[in-house]
Amino acid sequence: MQTHKNPSLRGGSTVAEKQGSTPVASKQTTTVTGTKPAKCQLEGKKWVVENQIGQKSLTIDKVEMNQVIYMFGCKDSVLTVKGKLNSIVIDSCVKTAVVFDSLVASVEFVNTRDCQMQVLGKVPTITIDKVDGLQIFLSKDSLEVEIISSKSSALNVMVPKGESGEFSEWPIPEQFKTLVGTKGLVTTPTETVGV
């Protein structure tokens, strides 16, 4: 027989155990998902590129400025986009690369690992969220790009130097120092010594 923890309620009714009941452990169900079919098609104004594995020569030609590309669940693949379009989203991809001419809005990387991107023309914004390893190759026209990153590591920006085709590699800071100032918080990236 169980009694209540609160002393003022203990004197009242008691809670009786159910006859013949035994504690039951909750079952944790796990679903095993097989490989989904690969897809690379235009749906309305959205190009959907999904579940591509080992495809090194994916190409999307003749894009329009109001179209977007959504790339999901790809592994060991390379997508080349010819023409100018609105935006590209790369979601949950591993060891995947995207090469494109120009974008109106942005390219976004979410939940990816060990990926690469190269812009041949211009891109105004690159958004990076929960990414582990990304190489960003910029063109001369994209040197004014705005890069926004959060919860990410091992991000490197490759900036062209001269006409030789060589790049300088610049890491995006992962570690920051925040101090309390007179007008609020002041946050700066920390310097790594000896690298």
Side-chain angles (χ1 to χ4, degrees):
M1 184 174 306
Q2 296 178 349
T3 59
H4 202 281
K5 291 180 182 178
N6 187 339
S8 63
L9 296 176
R10 211 179 283 160
S13 64
T14 58
V15 179
E17 289 185 27
K18 291 183 182 178
Q19 297 288 342
S21 68
T22 58
V24 179
S26 64
K27 291 183 180 180
Q28 187 175 11
T29 59
T30 58
T31 57
V32 178
T33 57
T35 56
K36 294 184 179 180
K39 184 191 287 189
C40 184
Q41 64 190 30
L42 180 62
E43 297 177 357
K45 294 181 180 182
K46 181 199 288 188
W47 283 94
V48 179
V49 181
E50 292 182 345
N51 306 310
Q52 301 286 338
I53 298 175
Q55 300 297 318
K56 302 288 185 186
S57 60
L58 292 168
T59 303
I60 298 178
D61 290 337
K62 301 176 185 172
V63 294
E64 298 175 9
M65 287 200 316
N66 62 350
Q67 292 177 341
V68 299
I69 294 177
Y70 180 69
M71 194 171 185
F72 176 79
C74 298
K75 183 177 182 182
D76 295 322
S77 297
V78 178
L79 173 66
T80 303
V81 182
K82 296 182 179 177
K84 186 174 185 176
L85 71 152
N86 191 316
S87 64
I88 300 174
V89 176
I90 295 93
D91 186 359
S92 303
C93 293
V94 178
K95 294 185 179 178
T96 298
V98 61
V99 180
F100 57 91
D101 288 340
S102 292
L103 297 178
V104 174
S106 67
V107 59
E108 179 178 354
F109 290 86
V110 182
N111 297 320
T112 62
R113 187 169 48 95
D114 300 326
C115 289
Q116 294 182 353
M117 72 141 266
Q118 182 173 6
V119 56
L120 303 174
K122 187 166 184 159
V123 60
T125 307
I126 300 170
T127 307
I128 305 163
D129 187 27
K130 299 176 194 159
V131 171
D132 183 20
L134 177 62
Q135 295 284 329
I136 300 169
F137 290 87
L138 297 178
S139 67
K140 287 188 175 189
D141 295 335
S142 292
L143 296 180
E144 295 179 7
V145 67
E146 183 175 90
I147 300 173
I148 302 166
S149 63
S150 65
K151 299 179 185 176
S152 298
S153 62
L155 308 176
N156 292 305
V157 180
M158 312 300 272
V159 178
K161 54 180 179 179
E163 298 294 325
S164 64
E166 293 183 25
F167 289 87
S168 296
E169 183 175 358
W170 297 346
I172 294 177
E174 297 176 30
Q175 190 174 19
F176 301 92
K177 175 176 67 173
T178 301
L179 302 171
V180 178
T182 57
K183 296 182 180 179
L185 300 177
V186 178
T187 303
T188 57
T190 57
E191 298 277 334
T192 305
V193 179
V195 177

